[in-house]
Amino acid sequence: KHLAHQLLGKEIKAYADLVKGGQSFLDLPFQEMMKHACQDADVTMRLYPVLLEQLRERGITEQFSGDTLPLVTRFGDLEFEGISVDPGRMEVIRRSLIAKATRLKSRIFREMGKAFDLDSDRELWAVLREALLSKGYLAPGRITTSILEQLAISEPLVQPVVEYKRFRSRILGLDSISAAARGERIYPLFSQTKSRAGLASTVRPNLFDMDSLPELKFCFDGRVHDYFRDRGRALDALAQVTQDPILQGVRASKSKVDPFLTKRRLMRDGDYDEFLLSVVLGHSEAKLSRRFLIDRLNIGTLMRDIEKRYEVTFGWLRDYRRVAQANGYATANGRRKYIDDLRSSDLAQ
């Protein structure tokens, strides 16, 4: 519907305009069903030469036919055939998360001096509000994840609460995957367009965005392993394209962890790759502060230290972004990724 309006100046009815909640296409009168199907086929045929010309103008016709379309076929096959999943392995991960969350819950109750429903925002806030007011805080009227993260930066009492909430989120993510399984297979819906960077993504359930659980991918068919987010693989690729000798040395080391970061006592164990990659991706001081529960002043210092240490990498990134902005597209492995409004004055683009 959107493409017909934008490219053909033609208004058509979408599926949702015809099929109401609780109905299916088969509930429509036959003539109406036929008319809608013919409309879709007709508009598709009219759009084809228009879109094909856009591919030609951008020089990516071969990329579309040799890369994008085969991936559509691959995703379609995976949707139809399903992806094998190992429920036992997922349960091991789940039990480990529950054990860590339970230990955190016991610690929170001990430090708060009472037991309460930690999963109830109302009860949690009642207990936290009382503790914070006693310390001179002006507690806001309601609780949000962002407020908890802000408080945890300066208040050690709140830090285990934030960590518990994050464990709970991972457990719920695992539960949504388990609930979607039929026997030992899942049948997610794939997309190449949901991610602005062109990364594969799925819904019902969401598989690939749980980068806080790198071990999750080993619960699934090896055919989809490469679609899972992998910080280490991303940093390996960055070291290769930038030829930064320091980053290459770190990635080639046995630990793959920069001792420069491990000596920073502000950093928690295991977060080094995530922090480095977050800085590379240009996340703001405010976002990094909430994610790693470190105050803005120390976050800013860490960011500057990292940019100075990996001077070659950040110099390469500045050049890459400048060229991408001038061209209107980014390149990787000989392929182009056009990004809407990249040439605009909106720096966020």
Side-chain angles (χ1 to χ4, degrees), residues 60-71 335:
I60 54 175
T61 307
E62 185 176 341
Q63 177 180 315
F64 180 74
S65 60
D67 184 23
T68 307
L69 282 182
L71 198 54
R335 292 174 295 178

Side-chain angles (χ1 to χ4, degrees), residues 266 275 294-305:
L266 292 169
F275 188 83
I294 301 173
D295 67 83
R296 294 273 296 269
L297 179 62
N298 282 307
I299 280 288
T301 301
L302 277 170
M303 291 174 69
R304 286 189 292 274
D305 288 347

Side-chain angles (χ1 to χ4, degrees), residues 90 93 97 166-177 205-217 220 227-231:
M90 280 191 60
I93 297 174
L97 291 174
R166 290 173 178 175
F167 277 119
R168 282 285 297 153
S169 177
R170 293 167 197 161
I171 293 168
L172 290 174
L174 282 178
D175 288 346
S176 71
I177 295 172
N206 181 350
L207 290 181
F208 307 136
D209 292 334
M210 295 178 65
D211 57 354
S212 55
L213 285 176
E215 65 271 31
L216 179 63
K217 71 178 180 182
F220 299 96
Y227 300 133
F228 282 84
R229 311 295 183 255
D230 188 326
R231 301 186 194 108

Side-chain angles (χ1 to χ4, degrees), residues 313-331:
T313 291
F314 285 91
W316 183 92
L317 285 167
R318 285 190 292 271
D319 291 341
Y320 183 88
R321 288 169 179 150
R322 185 174 61 250
V323 171
Q325 188 171 21
N327 292 334
Y329 59 81
T331 58

Side-chain angles (χ1 to χ4, degrees), residues 3-60:
L3 290 174
H5 173 75
Q6 184 183 43
L7 301 178
L8 303 177
K10 183 177 177 63
E11 298 297 332
I12 64 172
K13 288 186 177 181
Y15 180 87
D17 297 330
L18 298 174
V19 180
K20 305 307 178 185
Q23 291 185 323
S24 75
F25 201 44
L26 297 177
D27 293 314
L28 297 178
F30 178 75
Q31 290 296 324
E32 192 171 353
M33 186 193 305
M34 181 184 68
K35 183 178 178 181
H36 182 72
C38 290
Q39 165 204 270
D40 278 4
D42 175 53
V43 171
T44 299
M45 291 295 289
R46 294 190 195 193
L47 285 169
Y48 177 79
V50 177
L51 294 171
L52 185 62
E53 184 57 31
Q54 289 190 8
L55 293 176
R56 287 175 179 148
E57 289 175 359
R58 294 182 172 191
I60 54 175

